[in-house]
């Protein structure tokens, strides 16, 4: 039988303590919501590998742990927490799901644009955690495919521009036609074991250097 896929490794970014001062009603409410969220994650089969505070060590800890997803339990400071998490993941993108009690949703658009995959405001029952995270992961993977395809398209366009410029340089300096210039570029690339665009870039660089 094929082995079942490993559970997603999740890092929760939140205050680590779930035991606030007895007299702090708001803190107790937030702690209960946070506890419910963690129970929902565990019951859904996710692997909570760490609970990390928002501090200067967050980027290094995330880089070391390499989680599949980041769940932000932002309590009432959603905007500040998100800024830290987004900055911490800018060099290694991962799906970010925010659960918050902050009902000020005026910055949701900015959060999504910055890289937050899902933004959930209060009142989420534990049994709904898995569907939310499944959708967030699917959306993240879709966006990453689009991002990769766009990057490849831009790279190909850039390479074509460099090749066209290199052909123009050869045509002008060696008084040859376009087909001959392209053939020489291809032959040089094959002889040197380089990509056509790499040879073209070298020709352009030398031309720029010599003026």
């Amino acid at each position: 039988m094929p082995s079942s896929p490993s559970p997603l490794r999740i890092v929760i970014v939140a205050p680590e303590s779930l035991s606030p001062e007895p007299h702090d009603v708001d803190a107790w409410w937030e702690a209960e919501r946070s506890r419910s969220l963690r129970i929902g994650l565990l019951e859904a089969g996710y692997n909570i590998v760490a609970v990390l505070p928002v501090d200067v060590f967050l980027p290094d800890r995330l880089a070391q742990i390499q989680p599949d997803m980041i769940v932000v339990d932002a309590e009432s400071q959603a905007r500040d927490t998100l800024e830290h998490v987004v900055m911490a993941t800018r060099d290694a993108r991962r799906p970010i799901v925010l659960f918050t009690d902050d009902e000020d949703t005026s910055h949701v658009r900015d959060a999504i644009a910055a890289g937050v995959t899902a933004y959930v405001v209060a009142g989420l029952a534990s049994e709904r955690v898995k569907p939310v995270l499944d959708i967030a992961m699917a959306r993240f993977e879709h966006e990453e495919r689009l991002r990769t395809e766009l990057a490849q398209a831009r790279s190909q366009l850039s390479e074509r521009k460099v090749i066209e410029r290199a052909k123009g340089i050869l045509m002008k300096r060696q008084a040859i036609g376009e087909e001959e210039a392209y053939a020489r570029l291809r032959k040089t690339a094959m002889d040197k074991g380089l990509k056509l665009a790499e040879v073209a870039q070298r020709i352009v660089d030398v031309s720029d250097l010599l003026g």
Side-chain angles (χ1 to χ4, degrees):
M1 294 178 59
S3 59
S4 58
S6 300
L8 287 182
R9 301 174 67 255
I10 290 179
V11 160
I12 297 177
V13 176
E16 294 184 89
S17 174
L18 294 180
S19 301
E21 294 296 326
H23 63 274
D24 193 336
V25 177
D26 289 339
W28 269 100
W29 173 257
E30 291 177 344
E32 183 59 31
R33 183 187 57 79
S34 183
R35 187 181 295 108
S36 177
L37 170 61
R38 299 181 198 191
I39 291 172
L41 290 170
L42 293 173
E43 289 180 343
Y46 295 107
N47 180 15
I48 301 176
V49 293
V51 178
L52 303 178
V54 179
D55 57 25
V56 295
F57 303 108
L58 183 60
D60 292 337
R61 288 170 175 166
L62 290 176
Q64 182 180 20
I65 296 171
Q66 295 288 314
D68 299 313
M69 178 180 287
I70 299 170
V71 171
V72 181
D73 183 11
E75 299 185 349
S76 59
Q77 302 296 326
R79 180 176 298 185
D80 293 342
T81 303
L82 278 179
E83 288 178 357
H84 282 88
V85 174
V86 169
M87 288 294 292
T89 58
R90 61 182 177 180
D91 296 327
R93 286 174 49 80
R94 290 181 176 82
I96 301 171
V97 180
L98 169 72
F99 293 90
T100 180
D101 280 335
D102 188 353
E103 295 182 358
D104 176 12
T105 58
S106 60
H107 52 281
V108 172
R109 187 183 301 273
D110 292 338
I112 297 297
V116 175
T117 316
Y119 195 112
V120 183
V121 179
L124 182 67
S126 60
E127 62 269 16
R128 289 185 53 211
V129 169
K130 187 177 189 304
V132 168
L133 266 61
D134 285 348
I135 292 172
M137 178 59 78
R139 176 185 173 186
F140 175 79
E141 291 174 345
H142 175 68
E143 291 180 347
E144 286 301 289
R145 284 194 296 270
L146 292 179
R147 186 184 297 271
T148 299
E149 291 170 2
L150 178 59
Q152 290 174 343
R154 287 175 173 170
S155 177
Q156 291 170 358
L157 178 61
S158 177
E159 289 181 356
R160 284 198 295 270
K161 288 181 178 179
V162 171
I163 291 170
E164 288 300 314
R165 188 177 172 195
K167 284 196 303 183
I169 293 170
L170 291 178
M171 291 166 63
K172 180 179 180 180
R173 296 193 175 182
Q174 299 185 11
I176 57 178
E178 182 177 357
E179 290 187 4
E180 177 64 20
Y182 184 73
R184 293 188 183 186
L185 282 173
R186 285 192 61 187
K187 184 177 187 305
T188 301
M190 293 177 63
D191 291 345
K192 295 184 177 296
L194 298 172
K195 292 176 60 178
L196 187 63
E198 291 175 330
V199 173
Q201 186 63 61
R202 292 184 181 187
I203 291 173
V204 169
D205 290 344
V206 170
S207 177
D208 289 343
L209 181 63
L210 298 178

